[in-house]
Amino acid sequence: MSAPERFAHISAGLAAGVTGHPDLVGLVLLGSAAEPAASRRDEWSDHDFFALAAPGAGASVRESLAWLPDQDRLVLTAREGEIGFVALYDD
């Protein structure tokens, strides 16, 4: 899979994960992940995003990141600040 195809695959997987989670109500792609920045993406571009939780559901949603795509390729997840996290894939 080429870098652009892999990027699109992860973007679609994030959207599917959010759509399939009962406590997530939206996804906002930021930075190079946003459509207007598509021409600036390269093989080092990451996915910056907000997964929007239903009112009062933020803490419970952060307990499990099972909604992230390609779970078998996740190498590391780590908390970043009070509400953020980082997910590192094997590629």
Side-chain angles (χ1 to χ4, degrees):
M1 186 177 308
S2 71
E5 290 169 334
R6 176 75 176 139
F7 197 93
H9 174 78
I10 292 290
S11 296
L14 286 169
V18 167
T19 299
H21 193 291
D23 292 327
L24 290 173
V25 298
L27 176 69
V28 180
L29 297 174
L30 307 165
S32 60
E35 194 57 40
S39 65
R40 297 191 314 262
R41 290 182 198 140
D42 61 21
E43 67 272 18
W44 305 110
S45 294
D46 64 354
H47 281 79
D48 296 314
F49 64 91
F50 291 136
L52 306 177
S60 65
V61 168
R62 286 188 292 275
E63 289 177 11
S64 170
L65 300 178
W67 54 271
L68 288 174
D70 295 350
Q71 290 285 311
D72 59 322
R73 297 190 69 178
L74 275 172
V75 175
L76 172 76
T77 59
R79 297 285 304 183
E80 184 175 328
E82 187 176 326
I83 63 170
F85 66 90
V86 172
L88 181 66
Y89 286 88
D90 63 2
D91 62 348

